[in-house]
Each structure stands twice: as structure tokens, then as C-alpha cells.
Amino acid sequence: MFQFSALTIIALLVAFYGGTYLLSLLIKKDKETTSGFMVAGHSVGFGMGAASMTATWIWAASFYAAATSGYKYGVSGPIHYGFWGALMILFIYPFGMRFRELAPNGHTLGELIHARHGSSSQLILAISNIMGSLISLMVNFTAAGALVSVLSPLSFQTGVIIAGVGVLSYTLTSGFRASVFTDFAQLVALMAIGIVIIPAVLFSMGGPAVMVSGLSNLTFEQQNFFSSEAFFQQGAPFFVAVLAYAIGNQTITQRLFAIDKTKIKATFVTATVGYAGIVIGLGMIGLMAVTIGVEPLDGNMNNLIPQMVSTYLHPVFIALFFILVIGSLSSTADSDLSALSTIMMADVYGKNIAKEGKVKPKTMMLVGRGTMIVATAAGLIFASFKLDILVMLVFVGALWGSIVFPVIASVYWNRVTNTAFTAAVIVGLLFFCIARFELIPIVGITALFFEVMASVGGAVVIGLMVFGFLGRKIGLLATVIALLFMLIFATGFLRQYMVLIASLTAYGVSTIVCVIVSLMGNERFDFDLIQQRVGSYDKKSKVDAQPAPDA
């Protein structure tokens, strides 16, 4: 494979991170407020918001996973990665509007849930986000180290350290504001370079005619645009996973609280289109590779895109590709740093350490910046160990899958209790682990049980999506229809796809537990209390003198 000199790679990295740092200085304020540091004062506009949402949703793994999907599943592979991911961006906005309505001064979903239920439910969200963001940091720093080591004589650890220090340098100054501002520049680079590189690879390998003639080399399933194998192996599990990510991850919630409320719909619709275009395009590189018979170097699918780029393109394009990947992983990493600092500022310090009504903005800012430094150090250390993070990713995904229904139900249904929320997440996560790791033999009546739970989960997913856009009655109707469909066609069949069963079981079991436990109580919550309990930390605290009920 082609390699740059160490000097060239260092020059590219210094140019990228130096330029990004200078951009962040343009928006630096002499006296930053906590609201500005956490959510840019709730006033991010349409263009910046759409760019930031798109750039954050595209992380380093998007490049490799999209290409892998195209390589493994053929013509439908890129669709099953890019389309479902894009659809989830669209899905989240109606619920985001509800979050903003209930807590116009909010910064995190944890604050809202604390005001709704109390500390135990809030801490579930905080812990899941801390784990998720640290894992994301590790993944992105690891991707930087791997890319630097593949394309230059520099070591893996050198690439990890440069990326970590570079991201921290510009995020530390202005927090979330810097993340959004630099996301805009990074997305422009992503789009411009993507538009150039993807067609350049296609024409360098011989043009569309070569690719079309190579389609005959694919298997029947790879040629089938409606491949059931691609749907059940790639599309459906990814669909369920990104839904959980969209609801549970603070990087998304932070943007919902940061964007001007009147611009949320337009912002998320635009981000949906932008994400789909870029990621499906990247997936086409994997399809190109399989049509001409390229084998991934060392059998590692992560080498596929660098291999195609370095094989078919001029060094100038390879340099552009390098910046493309560094930009994508940096935009996600700076979002993770901002999310972690906000969680520690609002959820941990603001709600659990500072006394009621006595939050100190200066101390809160110190907590936020200190968190960024500690998180970066942790991300660098763990990335250098090259840990196998698959199990942790699976665990966090299940945790987020278990909270989807309890979170959404909590902001619409006044009968959901703190006990119901907590029990639903714990039991849902437990049943997920049993199915995902097959802790007991999943055969016979046991397999049927999990298929039924998964059917409930699938119906809940469909019902929530319809409810978000069309309201309660049509959402309930869609849930019933989907459940009947799943019970008829999924039982006896779905057990072939245990990853999908496990993910849907987390949704189904948590929903059942949440509903049953809530109906057993007599609580009727007044949603107006949330706005009173979630205040701005820059003014005199408006936190309600009466703490929310706890478990």
C-alpha cells in the first residue's frame, strides 16, 4: 500500500488541527456562560445545526462499516447501512420537540428525567452515556492511530496521541460551541472530498461499465436489491441499534437542546438527507471492491477503503481521504467530549453534588473542562491498549435499547413511575444478556418465548415511530398490526437471527415491565413541574425546592 513520509503526515495533522483550533478562537468568548459551554445558549441556527448533526452522526466506524456492508451484501448493502441510520435522525426530532417543550432550559435528557422521576433513573442515563461516550472516544482515537500507522511510518500510538491532543485543544476553549462551529467546517470538507473521492475511485478502476460487468461475479443474494439476508443480518439489527442510540446518546440530545426550537424540524430533515448521501456513497466503495474481486488486505475489512483509495488514486487524493477520515472521527470525538462534560456539569455536579439552589457557575465550568481533560486521557490510554470493545459496545447498545420506551413513555404518560422506569431498564437488560450471549439454551419453548418478546419489541419500535409523526391513536393501531404480523411470521423463524432477537427483546421486555409496574401504582405526574425543576445555572437557580421523588 502507498505510504506518506512521517513529515508529510505530521504536516497534514498540524494543518488540520491547527486550522480547527484557529476556527475555535473566532468564537471564543472572554467570559463563557455555563449555558453557552453546554448548549451554545439554545440558539444554534439551521445551517450550523444541520451540519453539526450530520458530522456527529458520521463517525470513523461509518466509513468501514458502510464499505463492509456493500462488500458483504452487494447492491442492497449500502442502503441497509445508510438509509436506516438516516431514518433514525428523522425519527428523533418529534420527540426532541417534546423534550424542549417540557424543559426549555434543559441541557441533558438526564436533567429532564431527574425532574420527572428522581436520581436513580437519571443516573441510569448518566452512566450509560459516560460509558458510551468513552467507548466512542476510544474507537475514534483507535481509528486515527490505525490510519496513521497504515499510511505512514509513524506508530499507532503516535497517531492516537496527536488525535487526542488535537481534539482536546479546540474543544476545551469553548465547549459545545466549538464542537458545533468546527463540525460545520468539517462537514463541508467531508462533502467536498466525498464528492471527489468516490467518483475518482470508480473511474480509476475503469468506470461504471467495469462495475456493471462485475455484477455477474456476485451471488444471487448480493445482486438482489431486496435481499432478505441483507435485511436480517445487517439492516434490521442496525435499525434497532441506531434507534436506541438516537434516544439514549447525549451527543444527540445535546443538539436537540442547543438548536433554536423553531429550526429543529428543518435541521433534522436536512441532516437526514446529508447523512444518507455521504454514507451510502461510502458504502458504494465496498460494492465496487467486490464487483472487481478485490480481497481485503490481511482479511481485515477495515483495510478495504484505505486499500481501494491507495490502489486506485493519486497521492493527492489519498491525502484528501486522510483528512476526510480524520475530520469525521474528530467531529464525533469532540461531540463526545462536550457530552461528557455536560453530563458531569449538569447531571452529576448540578443535580447530585451541589446543594439545591446553590450551583456555582464557575465551579460548574471547572468541572466541565476538567472532565474533558480526564476523558481525553482515559480515551488515549484505552485506545493505546487496543482493547476489544465489542462486548462493551453490545452492552451499552442493550442498555440504550432498554431505556427507549421508558424514556418516551415518561414524557407523554403521567402514570410512569420511577420504580417502573428503573425496573424496566434492569429487567430488559437482563433478558437481553440472556439472549445475546445465549446464557441458557435458546431452543424449543425458550426460543418461542424470546421470539414473542422480540415480536413485542418490534411492534413497539414501529408503534413509537408512527406515534412520533401521526399521534397516539394511529401509533397504537400500528403497534397492534405490527404485533400480529410479527407473531404470525416471526415465531419459529426469528430464532435464526439471535442478534436481532436479543436487541428486540430489550425493547419488548422493558416495555412490558414499564407498563405493568406503572399500572400497579396510582401516581399522576404534573408535567408542568419539569419546567420548574430544570432551570438555568447562569441565573439564580430555579431548581424546585422540593426534590423529585426518588426510588
Side-chain angles (χ1 to χ4, degrees):
M1 292 176 65
F2 174 84
Q3 279 198 327
F4 293 106
S5 68
L7 186 62
T8 303
I9 283 291
I10 291 175
L12 287 172
L13 287 169
V14 169
F16 176 79
Y17 284 119
T20 307
Y21 177 73
L22 291 175
L23 280 175
S24 70
L25 291 181
L26 294 176
I27 58 168
K28 182 180 179 182
K29 294 181 179 297
D30 293 334
K31 188 177 180 181
E32 184 67 273
T33 63
T34 61
S35 176
F37 194 82
M38 290 192 284
V39 291
H42 306 285
S43 59
V44 175
F46 164 68
M48 287 285 184
S52 180
M53 187 62 222
T54 307
T56 297
W57 205 242
I58 300 173
W59 65 333
S62 299
F63 286 74
Y64 306 120
T68 299
S69 188
Y71 190 87
K72 291 176 66 176
Y73 301 112
V75 294
S76 66
I79 303 295
H80 279 298
Y81 192 91
F83 177 75
W84 299 121
L87 188 62
M88 289 307 103
I89 301 176
L90 188 65
F91 165 74
I92 189 62
Y93 96 78
F95 299 108
M97 297 289 286
R98 178 65 174 169
F99 297 162
R100 289 292 296 271
E101 177 187 347
L102 293 175
N105 293 318
H107 310 88
T108 71
L109 184 58
E111 282 182 314
L112 192 157
I113 293 299
H114 182 278
R116 174 71 175 85
H117 291 309
S119 295
S120 62
S121 300
Q122 178 215 17
L123 288 176
I124 288 174
L125 285 170
I127 291 171
S128 68
N129 272 289
I130 290 171
M131 290 181 61
S133 289
L134 281 176
I135 291 173
S136 179
L137 274 177
M138 281 190 288
V139 170
N140 285 290
F141 291 159
T142 299
L147 190 66
V148 167
S149 64
V150 167
L151 293 179
S152 79
L154 294 174
S155 68
F156 171 86
Q157 284 77 10
T158 302
V160 167
I161 292 172
I162 293 175
V165 172
V167 171
L168 179 64
S169 66
Y170 66 83
T171 313
L172 195 62
T173 55
S174 301
F176 180 75
R177 199 191 303 276
S179 174
V180 170
F181 191 68
T182 54
D183 278 349
F184 182 81
Q186 289 161 355
L187 181 69
V188 171
L190 278 170
M191 294 180 67
I193 296 171
I195 290 171
V196 172
I197 284 183
I198 295 168
V201 171
L202 177 62
F203 284 100
S204 294
M205 65 180 228
V210 172
M211 183 176 168
V212 171
S213 65
L215 291 176
S216 59
N217 299 326
L218 306 184
T219 65
F220 173 76
E221 282 292 332
Q222 287 176 321
Q223 294 180 34
N224 184 5
F225 188 77
F226 300 100
S227 167
S228 59
E229 181 182 340
F231 177 74
F232 285 110
Q233 297 284 4
Q234 169 68 50
F238 184 64
F239 174 84
V240 174
V242 289
L243 168 61
Y245 185 90
I247 293 293
N249 194 285
Q250 168 64 13
T251 61
I252 309 304
T253 309
Q254 198 165 11
R255 280 154 180 78
L256 285 169
F257 282 115
I259 295 166
D260 184 329
K261 188 178 177 182
T262 61
K263 304 292 193 304
I264 289 179
K265 181 178 179 180
T267 296
F268 276 69
V269 170
T270 303
T272 299
V273 176
Y275 174 89
I278 293 174
V279 175
I280 291 174
L282 290 168
M284 295 303 291
I285 293 182
L287 178 60
M288 295 175 201
V290 72
T291 57
I292 58 175
V294 171
E295 292 291 335
L297 190 65
D298 300 327
N300 186 348
M301 296 299 292
N302 288 346
N303 288 331
L304 197 58
I305 285 188
Q307 188 179 345
M308 289 290 287
V309 170
S310 63
T311 301
Y312 289 102
L313 297 185
H314 186 275
V316 171
F317 286 106
I318 300 174
L320 290 173
F321 165 76
F322 177 77
I323 295 298
L324 173 73
V325 179
I326 292 295
S328 72
L329 66 89
S330 298
S331 66
T332 307
D334 65 42
S335 298
D336 288 321
L337 287 182
S338 297
L340 281 167
S341 66
T342 303
I343 289 170
M344 294 301 292
M345 292 167 75
D347 292 356
V348 177
Y349 170 75
K351 296 298 182 187
N352 291 288
I353 295 179
K355 295 181 180 178
E356 293 288 343
K358 295 186 177 180
V359 173
K360 297 178 180 179
K362 286 186 178 179
T363 303
M364 181 172 264
M365 293 289 287
L366 191 62
V367 169
R369 289 195 165 101
T371 300
M372 287 185 174
I373 295 172
V374 172
T376 301
L380 291 177
I381 292 170
F382 291 136
S384 298
F385 288 161
K386 298 184 180 180
L387 298 174
D388 182 359
I389 59 172
L390 180 60
V391 173
M392 296 178 69
L393 274 175
V394 167
F395 181 79
V396 173
L399 187 55
W400 280 335
S402 299
I403 71 171
V404 170
F405 182 83
V407 164
I408 293 178
S410 294
V411 298
Y412 287 96
W413 189 25
N414 63 2
R415 295 196 62 173
V416 179
T417 64
N418 188 36
T419 303
F421 187 106
T422 307
V425 175
I426 293 173
V427 178
L429 185 59
L430 175 64
F431 275 80
F432 167 86
C433 290
I434 293 173
R436 181 66 176 81
F437 303 111
E438 299 190 50
L439 299 179
I440 59 174
I442 311 293
V443 295
I445 191 69
T446 307
L448 180 62
F449 169 79
F450 278 99
E451 285 175 335
V452 171
M453 292 298 103
S455 296
V456 174
V460 169
V461 170
I462 298 298
L464 288 176
M465 294 187 68
V466 175
F467 165 72
F469 291 102
L470 301 176
R472 182 169 59 91
K473 290 183 179 178
I474 299 180
L476 285 172
L477 179 62
T479 303
V480 173
I481 293 173
L483 179 60
L484 292 174
F485 181 86
M486 291 284 290
L487 289 174
I488 293 171
F489 295 102
T491 48
F493 165 76
L494 208 57
R495 63 191 66 180
Q496 303 173 61
Y497 305 97
M498 286 308 298
V499 173
L500 181 57
I501 279 189
S503 300
L504 290 176
T505 294
Y507 283 85
V509 170
S510 68
T511 300
I512 292 171
V513 173
C514 184
V515 171
I516 291 176
V517 177
S518 295
L519 291 176
M520 290 170 62
N522 296 314
E523 181 175 310
R524 300 291 189 277
F525 183 78
D526 179 3
F527 284 110
D528 290 339
L529 290 175
I530 292 178
Q531 185 169 345
Q532 300 174 29
R533 292 171 174 169
V534 180
S536 172
Y537 299 105
D538 295 312
K539 303 172 185 176
K540 184 179 179 180
S541 177
K542 295 180 180 178
V543 178
D544 190 60
Q546 298 298 321
D550 203 346

